[in-house]
Amino acid sequence: MEVVIEKFKPKITRPFKRKNEYWVKLIDEKEGEFIMKFKTPLEAEDAIYGLLDLQVYGGRVKLELREGNVIENLEILEVYKPSAKELVDEYFSD
């Protein structure tokens, strides 16, 4: 199943071992939880660093999902990088 999410800004967990795999959860308040599975902890860490802009700024993504909200492929279509003024306004408005 292929899904396009417009405003995706996930919180990403540290890798944890489960069933001889390393899992990383992407948790979005609106869309729910998604899981990425890796064979080694190094692959999982690389994925986390690769998704850093998405965690900080949010963006538009296309996900190919299989049963249980497991991500088979994640394509970042656009990263919303706000201006410095927008970041400062957001920081001080909360």
Side-chain angles (χ1 to χ4, degrees), residues 8-9 21 33 43 62 65 84:
F8 190 60
K9 189 175 180 180
E21 296 174 319
E33 288 186 5
E43 289 176 345
K62 181 172 31 170
L65 301 172

Side-chain angles (χ1 to χ4, degrees), residues 9-71:
K9 189 175 180 180
K11 294 179 181 165
I12 300 178
T13 65
R14 292 186 318 216
F16 57 94
K17 190 171 183 175
R18 187 159 187 179
K19 299 180 184 177
N20 294 325
E21 296 174 319
Y22 293 87
W23 290 17
V24 174
K25 284 188 179 181
L26 283 71
I27 304 166
D28 186 66
E29 292 177 2
K30 297 174 189 164
E31 301 297 329
E33 288 186 5
F34 300 95
I35 298 169
M36 296 176 79
K37 296 180 181 180
F38 302 95
K39 294 184 188 325
T40 66
L42 186 59
E43 289 176 345
E45 289 289 337
D46 284 348
I48 291 171
Y49 288 119
L51 296 171
L52 190 58
D53 280 347
L54 192 62
Q55 294 176 64
V56 174
Y57 302 116
R60 185 171 169 241
V61 298
K62 181 172 31 170
L63 303 175
E64 289 182 29
L65 301 172
R66 63 176 188 214
E67 190 176 326
N69 278 352
V70 176
I71 298 172

